[in-house]
Amino acid sequence: MKQTKQFTAIIEREDDWYVALCPELDIASQGKTIEEARHNLIEALELFFETASHK
């Protein structure tokens, strides 16, 4: 069964990119749009939890 977790996402513009940060886990990603940065951050968080569960 898949668990749902909520985390903070801070998205800031840096030049031509948007940087998305999850401060609770110190994980960041980026994208050309806010939506892309958010999507990439979610993907990075999913990969983080997937690898953490295999250890």
Side-chain angles (χ1 to χ4, degrees):
M1 185 201 251
K2 197 172 189 176
Q3 280 187 319
T4 302
K5 297 176 178 67
Q6 286 191 319
F7 294 97
T8 305
I10 299 169
I11 302 176
E12 296 180 329
R13 187 175 185 137
E14 290 188 14
D15 298 321
D16 293 337
W17 291 88
Y18 288 92
V19 176
L21 170 68
C22 173
E24 292 95 338
L25 299 171
D26 198 28
I27 295 175
S29 194
Q30 65 183 16
K32 284 284 191 181
T33 65
I34 292 172
E35 294 79 18
E36 184 180 18
R38 181 181 175 278
H39 172 78
N40 290 342
L41 179 61
I42 291 169
E43 190 173 87
L45 290 167
E46 287 172 347
L47 290 170
F48 171 79
F49 285 112
E50 184 179 304
T51 25
S53 69
H54 292 306
K55 291 185 178 183

